[in-house]
Amino acid sequence: DAEITQSPRHKITETGRQVTLACHQTWNHNNMFWYRQDLGHGLRLIHYSYGVQDTNKGEVSDGYSVSRSNTEDLPLTLESAASSQTSVYFCASSESGLVTEAFFGQGTRLTVV
Amino acid sequence: AQKITQTQPGMFVQEKEAVTLDCTYDTSDPSYGLFWYKQPSSGEMIFLIYQGSYDQQNATEGRYSLNFQKARKSANLVISASQLGDSAMYFCAMRALWKGGSEKLVFGKGTKLTVNP
């Protein structure tokens, strides 16, 4: 079965360190998204990609970057982790065109100490 | 601005009864889509149901149905015959136009549903 997986599921890191969260999907979807989930804010879009070599900033992109070198993967990098980036991160994917379904990974809980 | 509002932070329902979770939306886009997701305590986001703005009929998926009232800008989720496993957070989301004609999903803040035995 096709799926979307995130790793690690949990991570603790120190302020100032670079951290990369992995997202891998086997749906062969062109669209991939990164969201963060915080209490009181719901899910907010960080970055997204509509295909290989395409990346775009979402509404809360400061301090984050992504790269898309193949269809399956969209790693999210925190350049210099800050305590404000402690959150649960979700990766999602969908087919091209009008989004009628978007599938999410299991989430990564990141704690910056 | 595109916005989703879920006014019920928490809801309780007895097992086997039906429950309606409210969702209102705000958009000026002529074409949009509405989604519901379930997030159990384990944390994953599970896609439940989708309704397009031009769809004539209300979407249904098993025990889930979407009560779509376009004039009222509401897209309420109805769960029939509640089960204990339905206890979870439920998020309403809308497909919205973003910069350069791209799309994103805008989420509400969620409703926590508790099903009592």
Side-chain angles (χ1 to χ4, degrees):
Chain A
D1 284 348
E3 60 181 2
I4 177 167
T5 55
Q6 293 181 232
S7 60
R9 294 294 310 278
H10 302 272
K11 182 155 182 79
I12 301 173
T13 191
E14 294 178 342
T15 301
R17 290 197 179 249
Q18 184 181 79
V19 176
T20 296
L21 309 182
C23 174
H24 179 82
Q25 53 99 0
T26 57
W27 290 98
N28 200 33
H29 285 162
N30 282 327
N31 300 345
M32 294 185 74
F33 309 85
W34 273 104
Y35 287 85
R36 60 178 287 176
Q37 183 180 25
D38 304 289
L39 216 58
H41 289 280
L43 280 84
R44 293 180 291 175
L45 182 65
I46 306 172
H47 280 287
Y48 60 100
S49 167
Y50 285 156
V52 176
Q53 303 301 332
D54 176 73
T55 61
N56 306 279
K57 293 182 178 181
E59 52 192 321
V60 289
S61 59
D62 287 349
Y64 303 95
S65 63
V66 293
S67 61
R68 188 90 180 268
S69 58
N70 58 53
T71 300
E72 295 79 19
D73 299 289
L74 186 71
L76 177 72
T77 297
L78 285 69
E79 305 294 344
S80 176
S83 57
S84 60
Q85 293 176 308
T86 292
S87 186
V88 179
Y89 291 85
F90 285 97
C91 180
S93 73
S94 72
E95 288 184 346
S96 302
L98 286 180
V99 176
T100 58
E101 283 182 311
F103 297 103
F104 282 75
Q106 322 94 302
T108 294
R109 183 175 294 275
L110 177 69
T111 303
V112 183
V113 297
Chain B
Q2 298 125 341
K3 187 178 177 182
I4 291 282
T5 302
Q6 294 180 256
T7 57
Q8 305 154 315
M11 287 283 286
F12 294 87
V13 65
Q14 286 299 120
E15 195 177 5
K16 299 180 186 176
E17 291 186 351
V19 63
T20 298
L21 306 184
D22 293 343
C23 172
T24 57
Y25 60 91
D26 187 18
T27 182
S28 55
D29 298 335
S31 174
Y32 51 91
L34 296 150
F35 303 75
W36 277 92
Y37 285 86
K38 173 184 178 181
Q39 186 178 42
S41 57
S42 51
E44 70 268 32
M45 294 285 286
I46 302 168
F47 168 73
L48 294 178
I49 196 167
Y50 168 81
Q51 176 88 39
S53 58
Y54 292 120
D55 293 342
Q56 296 295 317
Q57 304 229 338
N58 286 345
T60 60
E61 288 286 347
R63 294 185 298 112
Y64 304 108
S65 61
L66 202 153
N67 184 1
F68 182 47
Q69 298 189 41
K70 202 168 181 177
R72 293 186 176 186
K73 294 193 173 181
S74 73
N76 298 338
L77 178 71
V78 180
I79 305 174
S80 62
S82 297
Q83 301 172 357
L84 295 178
D86 293 335
S87 293
M89 282 290 287
Y90 288 81
F91 290 94
C92 181
M94 177 173 63
R95 182 186 70 233
L97 286 178
W98 187 234
K99 299 173 185 176
S102 60
E103 296 184 324
K104 66 172 183 175
L105 291 183
V106 176
F107 284 83
K109 295 186 178 179
T111 295
K112 184 173 182 180
L113 176 67
T114 303
V115 181
N116 294 316

